[in-house]
């Protein structure tokens, strides 16, 4: 996926910003056996769940979890940065399906007035952490038409390809950042 063959002298480093239950990081680690990852979250409860999930999946030796606001406590460089940050406009929260609205913490859903608050915080932090040639996260979460050029300033975020759709056909994933195009 990310490189043709693992580099034995450089294990793949993954950051999952706002990890929640750890599902994204742990799925990647299960598919990339030479990778190591760090998940961050502001919620201690979420980090406890993510750690328990890592132990249950026998991935705890390659996964670490840190309490911080987005990537504030991270240093070094990462080859892959992923995130599924809050992206729902504040005014739309009340209209969400009950099983979503009443299950997930508000902070995991509410993206502010325009749904982009988390992205404004995340992008500068992730930019400093992305290794040369690294791959940044999915930055379109079901609002691709509105997000189209929202962060194409100073070259920090630059959509490389049309967004990929999820199983429901909603555009969700785009390659972004100052990195050369890599084959999927």
């Amino acid at each position: 996926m990310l490189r043709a063959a693992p580099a034995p002298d450089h294990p793949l480093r993954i950051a999952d910003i706002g990890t929640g239950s750890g599902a994204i990081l742990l799925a990647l680690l299960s598919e990339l056996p030479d990778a190591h990852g760090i998940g961050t979250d502001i919620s201690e409860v979420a980090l406890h769940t993510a750690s328990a999930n890592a132990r249950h999946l026998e991935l705890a030796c390659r996964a670490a979890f840190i309490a911080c606001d987005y990537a504030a406590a991270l240093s070094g460089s990462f080859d892959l940065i992923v995130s599924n940050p809050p992206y729902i406009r504040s005014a739309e929260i009340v209209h969400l399906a009950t099983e979503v609205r009443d299950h997930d913490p508000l902070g995991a859903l509410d993206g502010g007035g325009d749904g982009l608050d988390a992205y404004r915080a995340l992008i500068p932090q992730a930019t400093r952490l992305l290794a040369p040639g690294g791959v940044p996260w999915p930055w379109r979460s079901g609002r691709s038409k509105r997000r189209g050029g929202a962060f194409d300033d100073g070259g920090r975020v630059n959509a490389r390809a049309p967004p990929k759709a999820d199983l429901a056909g909603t555009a969700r994933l785009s390659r972004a950042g100052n990195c050369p195009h890599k084959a999927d």
Side-chain angles (χ1 to χ4, degrees), residues 48 57 93:
H48 177 74
L57 296 169
I93 300 288

Side-chain angles (χ1 to χ4, degrees), residues 42 55 74 137 143:
I42 199 166
R55 286 190 303 277
L74 297 182
W137 67 92
R143 309 224 183 276

